[in-house]
Amino acid sequence: MNNNLFINGEFISTKNKQKVINPSNAEVIAEVSVASDKEIELALASGRSAFDKGEWPRLSLEERKEFLLKISQGILDNAQELARIETLNTGKPIKESTFMDIPSAAETFRYFAQNLEKFLSPETREISSQITKAQGILIREPMGLAVLIVPWNYPLLIASWKLASCLAAGNTVILKPSSLTPLTALALGNIIHDAGLPKGTVNIINASGEKLGEGICKDKRLDLISFTGSNEVGKQIIEYSAQNVKKLLMELGGKSASIVLKDADIEPAVNGSLCSIFLNQGQMCTAMSRILVEQDLYDTFIADFVAKAKKIKLGPGIDFQAQMGPLISKQQQQKVISFVEKAEKEGALVLCGGKIPEDNNLKNGFFFEPTVIEASSEMSIWKEEVFGPVVCITKFSSTEEALNLANASDFALAGCIWSKNISLAQDLAKKINSGTIWINTYGMFLNEVPYGGFKQSGFGKELGREGFLEYTRLKNIIVDQSKDSKPLVNYWYGF
Ligand code: NAD
């Protein structure tokens, strides 16, 4: 696999290179090409022309399906190597890349390949009223050229969610990974090349965010921007998009709440809650960074949760025994430290963690201990997204109080409920102001089910039929069927 840009079917090596770091030990693991204005222009021109004149949007659905299945198979054929580089680049435990990220990415391509025909089938509506008789035909068309902007926490998986549905819908693409984690996206260029997709259908560039924003997001030739990342950058992209009016999909931050009711099965509730905040070092938009436990269960829950959090084994991602890797960068580590310091100043109680581990073997990496903080809802740690292994816990005495606490957030991405009473849990789920609620589980991202947030967590969906349809535009064709009783429009002027 090479580390070059992939534009118009060619691998492009640029003079300007960027070092890629392994966050487990701060060592350089690769040097990759960085797009300048010239490559950005090439990618835009190539993607535009591939849409306007190229084969991809004009292939039969069966042909498109076959190409997507080839990409899925290409990911599976290279799964071990992709998992290795994903882990070296992000620091995430190799178990996670091997068993979750990479196979799920392949599965997403397979899912959209197998469903695109069903999702694209036109719908006919018969209209019969006192003034007209007509047939409405609703058809789904590709949007055009899309730019897909991906964060660093799930580089290949989030790229695949976007790319698989966007391609299945018939669009051409510029894919832009985070500059911190470009390796698996660039590797995907090799797989797409080998699958033989028409030139210019997929262009993959590594560029600084600012260059991409200024150079691509404002450009007239672009039709859609699908962005996953921080609120700060998301807002900037909304501004860019206004200049030439683009369709936007925005998957932004979160501060999700998990509600543990007193009747919850304690072991799965504790174990699931650990996973919901410490998986991927807590660098998950859907991390349950606020846990609300019903009063009667609080002491038991906290004792078990803290004891288990202390046992989580930190280690370099590439170590199969590691249960938690490092944060993505020194900067992220500093950010998490300052959140914890501020929380302590505001009176929060750190029950465990809260610092860089003392283990000498980890000192070069950007590690941070799993951290549990008893906090209250007026504290900033309760409100702001940390994006690290830091959870706030508090107790509640009624379901109404739990709902008020859960919903008092600017974000509205996800939530969890732990209870044996499924009908009560479902009732609460309906009252939680978030796009996804898991009951007695966490983190099931299913290809079949659309996912996305409300409020400051963004808009638009990923995955499922609805996520796929985001990458299409809806056209209606209306056919007059009034026959004898001619439509009013024919006689309006009395001619
Ligand atoms: P980020 O916003 O810093 O970067 C995201 C992407 O945007 C990167 O590829 C980056 O290079 C690019 N970018 C940066 N500046 C840009 C600009 N001016 N114009 C265009 N692109 C630009 O986010 P991050 O630090 O990579 O990821 C962490 C954030 O992502 C967290 O806030 C997290 O909640 C969010 N996130 C959300 C979801 C979701 O589905 N809602 C999923 C994962 C991560």
Side-chain angles (χ1 to χ4, degrees):
M1 307 228 175
N2 70 63
N3 292 326
N4 294 326
L5 314 181
F6 182 59
I7 302 176
N8 203 28
E10 314 273 336
F11 294 103
I12 296 183
S13 170
T14 58
K15 271 200 204 125
N16 187 10
K17 301 279 186 216
Q18 171 216 319
K19 290 183 171 44
V20 179
I21 304 293
N22 175 356
S24 295
N25 55 20
E27 284 174 9
V28 175
I29 46 171
E31 285 213 331
V32 299
S33 290
V34 182
S36 65
D37 292 342
K38 181 176 152 211
E39 287 79 35
I40 285 189
E41 172 53 33
L42 268 179
L44 265 171
S46 147
R48 184 74 253 164
S49 151
F51 186 79
D52 292 341
K53 300 179 216 140
E55 288 170 62
W56 187 255
R58 293 160 191 90
L59 291 177
S60 73
L61 298 186
E62 191 55 36
E63 286 169 314
R64 217 185 277 166
K65 172 182 169 179
E66 288 309 315
F67 277 119
L68 294 179
L69 289 175
K70 277 190 197 162
I71 300 176
S72 173
Q73 191 55 47
I75 294 175
L76 291 177
D77 292 344
N78 292 281
Q80 216 178 336
E81 178 59 3
L82 288 169
R84 193 183 72 83
I85 56 178
E86 194 74 308
T87 279
L88 285 176
N89 197 175
T90 59
K92 66 174 68 193
I94 186 77
K95 248 198 247 176
E96 202 182 316
S97 342
T98 305
F99 298 116
M100 292 164 72
D101 294 24
I102 309 301
S104 304
E107 184 54 26
T108 298
F109 276 97
R110 198 191 61 81
Y111 172 77
F112 284 110
Q114 295 194 323
N115 285 287
L116 70 94
E117 197 164 351
K118 182 170 80 187
F119 293 161
L120 286 172
S121 59
E123 187 193 330
T124 305
R125 294 187 189 168
E126 303 299 335
I127 299 112
S128 184
S129 72
Q130 282 184 341
I131 48 171
T132 192
K133 191 165 161 43
Q135 188 179 54
I137 304 162
L138 310 187
I139 55 172
R140 291 278 175 180
E141 298 179 340
M143 293 284 307
L145 173 61
V147 65
L148 312 178
I149 308 174
V150 177
W152 45 258
N153 59 341
Y154 288 93
L156 186 70
L157 186 58
I158 294 181
S160 299
W161 287 358
K162 293 185 189 298
L163 193 56
S165 39
C166 188
L167 285 177
N171 300 287
T172 57
V173 174
I174 298 171
L175 173 66
K176 148 76 177 99
S178 163
S179 312
L180 292 172
T181 56
L183 297 185
T184 46
L186 296 176
L188 195 56
N190 292 263
I191 291 169
I192 287 167
H193 178 264
D194 293 349
L197 266 72
K199 286 185 176 178
T201 305
V202 178
N203 303 279
I204 305 176
I205 57 168
N206 175 47
S208 77
E210 294 70 30
K211 210 165 226 354
L212 179 101
E214 292 291 332
I216 292 190
C217 297
K218 289 179 173 178
D219 198 281
K220 252 191 182 165
R221 288 167 286 181
L222 191 74
D223 299 291
L224 179 149
I225 305 172
S226 174
F227 171 79
T228 300
S230 62
N231 285 61
E232 197 189 346
V233 175
K235 286 176 191 167
Q236 220 170 345
I237 290 177
I238 293 172
E239 277 181 26
Y240 295 147
S241 75
Q243 295 208 2
N244 280 300
V245 188
K246 320 275 175 223
K247 173 159 182 185
L248 288 173
L249 299 174
M250 287 279 144
E251 298 290 349
L252 307 176
K255 190 76 192 179
S256 299
S258 184
I259 299 176
V260 185
L261 296 174
K262 64 183 176 204
D263 75 332
D265 210 343
I266 184 80
E267 196 181 337
V270 168
N271 294 349
S273 300
L274 286 161
C275 227
S276 75
I277 178 65
F278 297 132
L279 194 73
N280 211 37
Q281 300 67 250
Q283 301 167 134
M284 301 177 285
C285 49
T286 53
M288 295 296 136
S289 49
R290 298 182 293 150
I291 302 183
L292 321 173
V293 187
E294 195 157 5
Q295 206 157 6
D296 298 6
L297 194 64
Y298 190 71
D299 292 343
T300 318
F301 184 94
I302 285 269
D304 200 12
F305 189 86
V306 170
K308 286 176 170 164
K310 285 182 180 167
K311 283 191 201 154
I312 292 175
K313 190 173 169 346
L314 273 74
I318 208 71
D319 174 358
F320 243 99
Q321 302 307 315
Q323 295 171 324
M324 190 190 277
L327 300 175
I328 191 69
S329 62
K330 184 91 193 154
Q331 194 192 8
Q332 189 70 8
Q333 189 192 42
Q334 289 305 321
K335 198 176 133 196
V336 174
I337 291 171
S338 59
F339 266 114
V340 175
E341 284 173 355
K342 190 169 169 201
E344 283 186 289
K345 274 194 201 130
E346 289 179 14
L349 188 62
V350 176
L351 301 178
C352 73
K355 57 183 176 37
I356 294 173
E358 276 147 24
D359 185 342
N360 228 7
N361 294 322
L362 306 180
K363 70 173 193 307
N364 292 334
F366 312 128
F367 292 87
F368 196 78
E369 289 184 354
T371 300
V372 184
I373 298 183
E374 208 170 28
S376 55
S377 59
E378 64 286 350
M379 295 176 179
S380 45
I381 193 83
W382 185 265
K383 297 176 192 156
E384 294 168 17
E385 184 183 45
V386 176
F387 221 60
V390 178
V391 65
C392 306
I393 303 202
T394 198
K395 62 179 96 165
F396 64 88
S397 51
S398 68
T399 50
E400 197 187 353
E401 189 190 358
L403 279 174
N404 286 339
L405 281 168
N407 286 338
S409 173
D410 289 340
F411 298 106
L413 189 57
C416 276
I417 299 167
W418 300 90
S419 170
K420 289 198 198 89
N421 185 341
I422 301 300
S423 74
L424 171 63
Q426 284 192 15
D427 185 46
L428 288 180
K430 287 176 196 155
K431 293 175 182 156
I432 294 178
N433 192 4
S434 290
T436 295
I437 313 291
W438 289 287
I439 296 177
N440 294 331
T441 185
Y442 168 74
M444 292 175 85
F445 293 96
L446 306 169
N447 287 316
E448 295 76 3
V449 182
Y451 150 82
F454 308 145
K455 294 168 74 180
Q456 296 286 312
S457 293
F459 48 84
K461 298 289 175 194
E462 299 266 24
L463 301 177
R465 180 173 192 274
E466 294 73 10
F468 171 88
L469 294 179
E470 297 279 11
Y471 291 95
T472 65
R473 57 183 197 182
L474 183 63
K475 178 178 280 178
N476 63 351
I477 299 172
I478 298 173
V479 184
D480 172 54
Q481 294 194 322
S482 49
K483 292 187 184 136
D484 300 336
S485 58
K486 290 284 181 209
L488 190 57
V489 69
N490 288 14
Y491 300 104
W492 187 257
Y493 296 107
F495 300 144

